């Protein structure tokens, strides 16, 4: 079954709304939410579920407002290879982060995941990888002060 663009947006948005609503409901029912001044363990999943549901509505809204009868782009066939490449990048990150450190794992992730797309310019991939390493270092080390090993030289 091949869905056109409008149907794809409606189905995708509805799935996001359902998933977000389920996460928010589950967090509300099984965890203590607390207050905004003293947040409980359920506050983050509850909020994340609400945000996910809101994003689902935002995905559905343009499809609902799109007039009927407009020509649409032909649907793209489903390709599994890009998804498998992205999964391989995540697995590579998980395998590299402990022995080599956080920065080499981010580099590996970005380089592997870049092969999932059709635009494979080496200079652009390298610049993106280096920029994301700086962003990750800034967010996790400087911003959040997490005790992550950035580089592990003695392996």
């Amino acid at each position: 079954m091949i869905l056109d663009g409008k149907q794809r947006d409606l189905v995708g948005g509805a799935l996001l709304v359902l998933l977000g609503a389920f996460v928010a409901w589950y967090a509300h029912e099984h965890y203590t939410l607390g207050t905004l001044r003293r947040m409980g363990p359920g506050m983050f999943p509850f909020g994340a579920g609400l945000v996910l549901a809101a994003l689902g509505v935002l995905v559905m809204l343009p499809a609902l407002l799109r007039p009927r009868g407009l020509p649409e782009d032909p649907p793209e066939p489903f390709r599994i290879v890009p998804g498998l490449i992205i999964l391989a990048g995540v697995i590579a990150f998980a395998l590299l982060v402990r022995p080599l450190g956080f920065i080499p794992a981010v580099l590996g992730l970005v380089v592997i995941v870049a092969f999932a797309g059709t635009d494979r310019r080496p200079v652009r991939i390298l610049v993106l990888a280096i920029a994301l390493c700086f962003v990750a270092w800034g967010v996790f080390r400087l911003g959040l002060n997490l005790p992550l090993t950035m580089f592990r030289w003695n392996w």
Side-chain angles (χ1 to χ4, degrees):
M1 179 171 112
I2 297 178
L3 302 175
D4 66 1
K6 184 174 183 173
Q7 293 171 334
R8 189 172 46 241
D9 290 346
L10 288 173
V11 170
L15 289 174
L16 289 174
V17 168
L18 289 173
L19 179 64
F22 173 76
V23 168
W25 169 81
Y26 189 86
H28 184 267
E29 293 296 318
H30 294 88
Y31 300 113
T32 305
L33 293 181
T35 65
L36 288 177
R37 287 184 178 253
R38 191 159 175 92
M39 294 182 187
M43 185 67 77
F44 179 77
F46 180 76
L50 292 180
V51 168
L52 187 62
L55 289 174
V57 170
L58 290 177
V59 168
M60 290 173 56
L61 205 57
L64 291 172
L65 299 177
R66 190 178 307 147
R68 292 179 180 227
L70 290 179
E72 301 231 358
D73 295 334
E76 294 182 20
F78 179 75
R79 295 177 303 181
I80 190 118
V81 174
L84 293 175
I85 292 173
I86 292 170
L87 181 63
V90 173
I91 292 170
F93 177 86
L95 293 174
L96 292 174
V97 73
R98 191 170 296 242
L100 299 180
F102 190 66
I103 298 297
V106 170
L107 281 171
L109 170 71
V110 173
V111 169
I112 291 170
V113 168
F115 286 100
T118 57
D119 185 20
R120 297 185 188 121
R121 298 183 202 168
V123 174
R124 181 178 283 183
I125 293 169
L126 183 64
V127 168
L128 176 65
I130 292 170
L132 286 176
C133 285
F134 277 111
V135 168
W137 173 73
V139 168
F140 293 110
R141 177 54 69 95
L142 297 179
L144 297 174
N145 201 20
L146 293 178
L148 295 172
T149 303
M150 292 293 137
F151 291 99
R152 191 176 309 270
W153 297 107
N154 54 351
W155 32 291

